């Protein structure tokens, strides 16, 4: 019974160690599942990041095309401005020439006052019509190019806002990816630590199991020896009991013989 108590204690220790081992295995499985979840999230965020980067590359190409178009428009505007200045210069030269002609005609035809007045009026009308036409052309050109510049500015502003939003999204995604990578590294470290702990526990439990198996074998050997000793003692007791029975029978026989002998005498 003393050895049975030791064996029960050893069995309880083995059961407790088995439960601890199962708990550690469960923690490792949970860590693996968490690592798988983080890996799936990381792959999803990475795919989203690549999609956003592709969109940003497309938007940058559109911005480059828009910048080229804007430069072309600015070049055309500069050319039109130069042409307008050239036209203004020609207009001024023509007006000066006409004024010179009017002045010269006024000097030569100084007697005919009504004709001079009519010519001045005609020239003034022509100059007014030319100025009005030039003003209308200038206003139309300014309006057209202002509208073109405004549309280009609106497109550039919209695309700049889209690029800014995309860059903000990309920054957030990079931060999210970095945090997920940090979490994934921590989970990997935790997994490696748990696996090392599991290996250490398994090695320690294996050593304890070997020791417990050695103790069990020793106890079983002692128990077998005790049983053999008990059987031997039982056999010896049975042999002594048989001898006792035989001796008692012989004593009874001698008594009976003595009693018969006395009666015979």
């Amino acid at each position: 019974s003393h050895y049975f108590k030791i064996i029960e204690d050893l069995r309880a220790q083995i059961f407790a160690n088995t439960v601890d081992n199962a708990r550690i295995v469960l923690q490792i499985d949970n860590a693996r599942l968490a690592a798988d979840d983080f890996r799936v999230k990381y792959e999803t965020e990475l795919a989203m990041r690549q999609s956003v980067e592709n969109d940003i590359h497309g938007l940058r190409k559109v911005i480059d095309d828009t910048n080229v178009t804007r430069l072309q428009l600015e070049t055309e505007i500069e050319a039109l401005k130069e042409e307008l200045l050239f036209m203004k210069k020609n207009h001024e030269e023509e007006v000066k020439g006409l004024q010179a002609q009017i002045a010269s005609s006024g000097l030569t035809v100084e007697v005919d006052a009504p004709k001079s007045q009519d010519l001045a009026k005609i020239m003034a009308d022509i100059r007014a019509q030319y100025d009005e036409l030039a003003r209308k052309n200038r206003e139309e050109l300014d309006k057209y190019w202002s509208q073109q510049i405004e549309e280009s500015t609106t497109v550039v502003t919209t695309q700049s806002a889209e690029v800014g939003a995309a860059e903000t999204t990309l920054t957030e995604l990079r931060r999210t990816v970095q945090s997920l990578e940090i979490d994934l590294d921590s989970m990997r470290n935790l997994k490696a630590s748990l696996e090392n702990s599991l290996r250490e526990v398994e090695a320690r439990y294996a050593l304890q199991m070997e020791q417990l198996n050695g103790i069990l074998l020793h106890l079983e050997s002692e128990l077998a020896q005790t049983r053999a000793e008990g059987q031997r003692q039982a056999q010896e007791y049975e042999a002594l009991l048989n001898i006792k029975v035989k001796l008692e029978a012989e004593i009874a026989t001698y008594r009976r013989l003595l009693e018969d002998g006395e009666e015979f005498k």
Side-chain angles (χ1 to χ4, degrees), residues 8-237:
E8 290 296 329
D9 292 336
L10 294 174
R11 287 178 178 174
Q13 292 179 7
I14 292 171
F15 180 75
N17 293 330
T18 304
V19 172
D20 291 336
N21 192 5
R23 180 175 55 80
I24 294 173
V25 171
L26 182 61
Q27 290 179 356
I28 291 174
D29 291 335
N30 292 330
R32 287 176 180 173
L33 292 175
D36 292 335
D37 292 336
F38 280 116
R39 185 174 63 253
V40 172
K41 290 181 181 179
Y42 173 75
E43 292 175 354
T44 303
E45 295 293 338
L46 182 61
M48 189 180 296
R49 173 187 173 185
Q50 291 176 354
S51 176
V52 173
E53 287 180 350
N54 293 329
D55 294 337
I56 289 173
H57 287 306
L59 290 173
R60 286 178 178 172
K61 185 177 180 182
V62 173
I63 289 173
D64 293 336
D65 295 337
T66 305
N67 290 328
V68 172
T69 305
R70 186 182 65 185
L71 293 174
Q72 292 177 356
L73 292 175
E74 289 177 352
T75 304
E76 292 179 359
I77 289 171
E78 292 295 330
L80 289 173
K81 286 181 179 179
E82 292 178 356
E83 185 178 357
L84 183 61
L85 292 174
F86 181 73
M87 291 175 66
K88 285 182 178 180
K89 186 176 180 181
N90 290 331
H91 173 67
E92 290 176 355
E93 291 177 355
E94 290 178 358
V95 170
K96 289 180 181 179
L98 291 173
Q99 287 178 353
Q101 291 178 4
I102 292 169
S104 63
S105 64
L107 290 173
T108 55
V109 190
E110 188 175 355
V111 181
D112 195 358
K115 289 183 179 180
S116 170
Q117 292 177 356
D118 292 337
L119 182 60
K121 185 178 180 181
I122 291 170
M123 292 304 298
D125 292 337
I126 291 172
R127 186 168 60 251
Q129 291 177 1
Y130 186 78
D131 291 337
E132 182 68 22
L133 182 61
R135 185 182 62 79
K136 288 182 179 179
N137 289 331
R138 186 170 61 253
E139 289 179 354
E140 289 179 356
L141 287 174
D142 291 338
K143 183 178 180 181
Y144 173 75
W145 290 116
S146 297
Q147 184 178 0
Q148 293 294 325
I149 291 171
E150 184 177 358
E151 291 178 356
S152 299
T153 304
T154 303
V155 172
V156 171
T157 304
T158 304
Q159 292 177 353
S160 299
E162 292 178 355
V163 171
E167 289 179 352
T168 303
T169 305
L170 181 60
T171 303
E172 293 178 354
L173 289 174
R174 285 176 179 173
R175 291 177 181 175
T176 304
V177 169
Q178 289 177 356
S179 62
L180 289 174
E181 287 177 350
I182 292 170
D183 293 336
L184 184 60
D185 291 335
S186 63
M187 293 303 296
R188 286 175 178 172
N189 294 329
L190 178 61
K191 179 183 175 183
S193 176
L194 290 174
E195 288 178 350
N196 292 329
S197 299
L198 179 61
R199 285 193 290 269
E200 292 177 358
V201 170
E202 287 179 349
R204 186 170 66 251
Y205 287 168
L207 181 61
Q208 291 180 359
M209 287 295 293
E210 290 179 359
Q211 293 176 355
L212 293 174
N213 288 326
I215 293 171
L216 287 174
L217 292 174
H218 179 68
L219 292 174
E220 287 178 354
S221 177
E222 290 183 353
L223 184 61
Q225 292 178 359
T226 304
R227 288 178 178 175
E229 185 68 22
Q231 290 178 357
R232 187 179 62 78
Q233 291 178 359
Q235 291 176 358
E236 291 178 356
Y237 176 75

